[in-house]
Structure formats: structure tokens, C-alpha cells
């Protein structure tokens, strides 16, 4: 009985070895030369025509409106094939993606000066003069990556979360002490977030009370950061004018308050953390004294 048991184990072991060898042989026959390109096709770094990408990208700045664009919808646009890195290695790497120009045109942007890409921990500015019709978006995990034949690898911004369009006539602007400044220009060197309408929601369970803090978040730039950016460091008063209202604030109020410039439904507004979206003030001009 013991001898038969040993023969059974030996037979099972040989069977597993033969099966593994057959699987390896079949895999080798189907993929005789597994290289970097083939891995990238599966994981979405360079060539990824069949990768299902989730997530959204914020398109803002000098655009008709703020949009959270579904990543998968970007790649429903016509894609092209390009060769990158050819000038560096003499051969190049094939890539396939959506031309950035076509993406912008689909969202109402035909003229601009530059694009600012904000990723997880990275920011990159791409001037219009540096772009070609082969500057493309490719899928990248849960987001997108921008690359092109004339772009070195270290500026291939990946996992992009927001795109700020700067320049052109598709966006909104205000005047700051008589100087026109667009929403895209406000966000070209850093974009922040303001938390507003914070509230606590709770309920009682069988053994305890539960409480949850929640709030909404708006993208944009704080008013004091914009003033500092434009060189207004020493001031005593700020006057904000809208279509139907005008308000004046002291230096202390501006520096200690939560005044934040954002955009809602195609209009630039001054928001504060204690007010809901419908109570934000439209802004057409800001005077600094």
C-alpha cells in the first residue's frame, strides 16, 4: 500500500511538471519575444489601445466652462499613430493616442497660448508653439499622459488630474486695477481648492452615535494669492464689483478671510467657505488701494 502511494505521488508530480512545461511551451509559441512594448500595451504606459480607463479630468481655465471630462470619453475621439524618441535612439517607440488639438476643439477651445497640466505630484507647462498635431494623450492607469515626438520623456506628464487652458478667447476674465486678467492666467502658476458648506451629519445606532464631517470643494485661487501674484503686497482696501453689487474689504479681512476666486456656470465668482454656491458673488472687476 505504501509503495502504491509513492507511485501515485510520483505520477502526480510528473503530471504537474509536464503540464507546466506544456503551458510554458504554448506561451512561448504565442509570445516568442516578449519585450517592453508588449508589456506597455497591456499596462497603458505607452501603447494602450485596449485598456479600459476610468476616472475624470478637470478641464478649466480659458475654456467655455469647467468640465469634468470622463477619461474613457477622450479615447472615443479619433486616434493616431506616432513615433516618439526617434531623435534619441534612432529607432523610436510607437504610440497611439488622441491629438491634444482635437480634444480641445471638441470642448470649444481653438486658440490658446499654453496648457498647464497638474498631475498627482507634478506640474508641466506646454506652450502652444511647442505643440504639434502629433502631441497626443494616451491612457495611463486611471488617468491620461501627454507625450509627443519632440518631447523628452521627463516631461511626459502622467496621471493628469487637471488641465488649465491659458489664453485665447474661449474663457472668462476680470479686470484688476484696470488690467484684464483671464481665469486661465490666474491658474497658470498654481491651482488651489477651497472647502465650503461644511456640515456634520449624524445618526444614532443601537449602541452609539455616529457623526460624519462633509463639505464641497471648489477649484481656483485664493484672492490674497492672486493679489500677491500680481504684485499687490502692500494695500489697505480691496473693492470688488459685480454686475449688480459692490463690496469693500479691509486688508485684514482679505488676509484673514476665505475669499476665493472660482468659476461657476461660466462666470468668475468670489466665494467664501461659509456660503453655498448659489450665494457666491459675481465679480467683474477688483480695485486695490
Amino acid at each position: 500500500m505504501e509503495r502504491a502511494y509513492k507511485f501515485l505521488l510520483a505520477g502526480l508530480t510528473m503530471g504537474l511538471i509536464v503540464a507546466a512545461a506544456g503551458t510554458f511551451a504554448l506561451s512561448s509559441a504565442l509570445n516568442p519575444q516578449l519585450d517592453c512594448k508588449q508589456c506597455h500595451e497591456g499596462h497603458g504606459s505607452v501603447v494602450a489601445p485596449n485598456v479600459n480607463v476610468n476616472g475624470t479630468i478637470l478641464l478649466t481655465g480659458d475654456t467655455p466652462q469647467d468640465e469634468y471630462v470622463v477619461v474613457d470619453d477622450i479615447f472615443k475621439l479619433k486616434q493616431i499613430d506616432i513615433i516618439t524618441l526617434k531623435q534619441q535612439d534612432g529607432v523610436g517607440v510607437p504610440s497611439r493616442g488622441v491629438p491634444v488639438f482635437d480634444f480641445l476643439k471638441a470642448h470649444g477651445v481653438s486658440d490658446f497660448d499654453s496648457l498647464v497640466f497638474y498631475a498627482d505630484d507634478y506640474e508641466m507647462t506646454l506652450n502652444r508653439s511647442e505643440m504639434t498635431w502629433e502631441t497626443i494623450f494616451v491612457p495611463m492607469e486611471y488617468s491620461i499622459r501627454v507625450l509627443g515626438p519632440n518631447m523628452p520623456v521627463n516631461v511626459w506628464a502622467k496621471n493628469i488630474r487637471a488641465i488649465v487652458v491659458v489664453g485665447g478667447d474661449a474663457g472668462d476674465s476680470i479686470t484688476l486695477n484696470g488690467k484684464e486678467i483671464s481665469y486661465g492666467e490666474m491658474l497658470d502658476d498654481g491651482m488651489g481648492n477651497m472647502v465650503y458648506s461644511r456640515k456634520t451629519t449624524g445618526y444614532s445606532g443601537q449602541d452609539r452615535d455616529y457623526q460624519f464631517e462633509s463639505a464641497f470643494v471648489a477649484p481656483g485661487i485664493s484672492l490674497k494669492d492672486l493679489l500677491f501674484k500680481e504684485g499687490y503686497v502692500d494695500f489697505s482696501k480691496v473693492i470688488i464689483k459685480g454686475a449688480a453689487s459692490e463690496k469693500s474689504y479691509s486688508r485684514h479681512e482679505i488676509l484673514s478671510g476665505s475669499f476665493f476666486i472660482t468659476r461657476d456656470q461660466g462666470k468668475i465668482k468670489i466665494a467664501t467657505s461659509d456660503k453655498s454656491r448659489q450665494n457666491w458673488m459675481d465679480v467683474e472687476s477688483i480695485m486695490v488701494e
Side-chain angles (χ1 to χ4, degrees), residues 8 46 91 109 113 138 153 159 174-176 180 187 230 256 266 271 288:
L8 178 60
V46 178
V91 179
V109 178
D113 297 325
V138 299
V153 175
N159 289 337
I174 64 172
T175 59
L176 180 58
E180 184 175 6
L187 306 181
E230 293 297 312
S256 62
V288 183

Side-chain angles (χ1 to χ4, degrees), residues 134-167:
E134 290 188 324
T135 305
I136 62 173
F137 288 136
V138 299
M140 184 67 190
E141 298 175 348
Y142 298 103
S143 182
I144 58 175
R145 190 174 200 174
V146 61
L147 51 88
N150 63 332
M151 296 172 63
V153 175
N154 63 334
V155 296
W156 288 7
K158 65 180 181 179
N159 289 337
I160 295 168
R161 302 304 179 192
I163 304 171
V164 176
V165 178
V166 183

Side-chain angles (χ1 to χ4, degrees), residues 47-60:
V47 184
N50 299 314
V51 174
N52 182 21
V53 182
N54 297 315
T56 58
I57 305 294
L58 172 61
L59 178 64
T60 185

Side-chain angles (χ1 to χ4, degrees), residues 9-10 23 32 39 52 55 98 111 131 181 192 201 208 244 256 269 278:
L9 287 178
T23 301
C39 287
N52 182 21
V98 174
D111 183 32
M131 297 175 61
I181 179 170
T201 302
R208 58 172 293 183
S256 62
K269 297 191 175 185
Q278 61 267 27

